[in-house]
């Protein structure tokens, strides 16, 4: 019996954007729930603040899925920032929460597979660097050996200082420090992969479910990574 699967939305994204992906996973036999975030749930986090409120919603969703399906583990799919937020959720070290006691989830025993889709696992941008430094200093690479890490990157747009690829150039530079490189239009390949993970590259996929054309959750791209779910 396939494990229940949880989708963690990307930064400033709502659960509704992942309806098609959830439906495709259901069709593939995986009972799927998206963490029920709304776009406004992200607003208090702007400026690099603690992501603990998002992880609390993730934890609640995981507990619901485990109880509903009488399961002991889940698959976790994190899109964009949802990927590194999921890595915090797995961890056993207290995560500093602004104005509150540190939070601790230690959820890695509950997660069989973590799939990250276009996740920027590194950042030069000062608002996100604090959170990502916490993740990478405490849980570098595919840290937990009991969790299978699948990191999916897109090779779609080459960043250049010219019309049509300027946004990609700027985003790549903020993320990995190099603008002239390949990525999905937002996240460069170099930042989307982790040492020790099963690292995949899909050509032609764009970063967001709201992007025109194919993204990581489209049927054509899903075929490349759904096989890794348990």
């Amino acid at each position: 019996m396939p494990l229940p699967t949880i989708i963690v939305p990307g930064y400033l994204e709502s659960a509704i954007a992942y309806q098609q992906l959830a439906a495709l996973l259901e069709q593939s036999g995986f009972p799927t729930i998206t963490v029920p975030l709304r776009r406004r749930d992200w607003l208090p986090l702007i400026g690099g603040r603690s992501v603990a409120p998002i992880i609390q919603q993730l934890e609640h969703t995981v507990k619901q899925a485990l109880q509903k399906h009488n399961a002991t583990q889940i698959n976790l799919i994190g899109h964009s920032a949802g990927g590194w937020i999921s890595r915090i959720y797995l961890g056993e070290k207290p995560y500093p929460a602004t104005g509150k006691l540190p939070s601790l989830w230690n959820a890695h025993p509950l997660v069989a597979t973590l799939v990250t889709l276009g996740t920027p696992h590194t950042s030069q941008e000062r608002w996100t660097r604090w959170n990502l430094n916490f993740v990478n200093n405490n849980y570098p690479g595919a840290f937990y050996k009991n969790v299978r890490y699948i990191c999916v990157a897109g090779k779609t747009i080459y960043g250049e200082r010219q019309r049509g690829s300027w946004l990609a150039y700027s985003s790549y530079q903020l993320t990995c420090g190099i603008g002239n490189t390949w990525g999905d239009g937002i996240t460069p390949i170099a930042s989307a992969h982790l040492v020790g993970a099963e690292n995949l590259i899909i050509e032609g996929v764009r970063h967001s479910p709201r992007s025109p054309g194919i993204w990581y959750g489209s049927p054509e791209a899903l075929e490349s990574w759904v096989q890794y779910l348990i």
Side-chain angles (χ1 to χ4, degrees):
M1 178 87 181
L3 293 180
T5 298
I6 310 296
I7 300 171
V8 188
Y11 189 60
L12 291 177
E13 196 54 89
S14 63
I16 196 170
Y18 300 88
Q19 284 182 328
Q20 183 194 38
L21 172 56
L24 290 171
L25 290 168
E26 288 275 359
Q27 290 169 21
S28 298
F30 297 95
T32 303
I33 306 172
T34 303
V35 180
L37 297 173
R38 301 159 296 181
R39 299 190 83 171
R40 65 175 178 266
D41 290 331
W42 296 94
L43 298 181
L45 281 56
I46 290 176
R49 296 180 177 88
S50 168
V51 295
I54 301 297
I55 302 179
Q56 297 288 18
Q57 292 201 53
L58 166 58
E59 181 183 44
H60 180 68
T61 305
V62 169
K63 286 181 176 178
Q64 278 188 320
L66 291 172
Q67 183 176 22
K68 179 179 179 181
H69 297 285
N70 193 27
T72 57
Q73 286 190 308
I74 58 156
N75 296 311
L76 200 52
I77 299 171
H79 170 238
S80 195
W84 59 257
I85 288 171
S86 296
R87 291 170 65 202
I88 296 176
Y89 173 62
L90 297 182
E92 70 220 34
K93 297 187 178 179
Y95 171 70
T98 307
K100 300 179 181 179
L101 292 174
S103 299
L104 178 62
W105 295 278
N106 194 26
H108 65 92
L110 303 177
V111 179
T113 303
L114 169 62
V115 178
T116 67
L117 305 175
T119 291
H121 290 294
T122 60
S123 178
Q124 308 295 315
E125 205 273 329
R126 65 192 185 106
W127 299 120
T128 55
R129 193 166 53 206
W130 179 86
N131 272 311
L132 280 164
N133 283 347
F134 174 85
V135 176
N136 293 318
N137 289 338
N138 288 298
Y139 318 113
F143 187 76
Y144 289 106
K145 302 309 176 188
N146 57 306
V147 178
R148 190 178 192 184
Y149 291 75
I150 312 298
C151 298
V152 189
K155 185 179 181 182
T156 308
I157 300 175
Y158 187 81
E160 294 181 284
R161 291 182 174 179
Q162 64 181 33
R163 187 177 180 181
S165 55
W166 178 259
L167 173 61
Y169 177 92
S170 300
S171 183
Y172 299 165
Q173 190 172 51
L174 276 172
T175 305
C176 71
I178 302 171
N180 296 118
T181 189
W182 284 98
D184 62 15
I186 297 296
T187 302
I189 293 172
S191 292
H193 286 166
L194 288 173
V195 174
E198 184 84 31
N199 292 311
L200 310 177
I201 296 175
I202 305 177
E203 296 197 11
V205 296
R206 292 181 177 265
H207 182 76
S208 169
R210 299 182 185 273
S211 300
I214 297 170
W215 84 288
Y216 295 100
S218 298
E220 305 92 324
L222 183 70
E223 293 176 0
S224 300
W225 57 265
V226 71
Q227 61 188 299
Y228 295 95
L229 297 179
I230 295 175

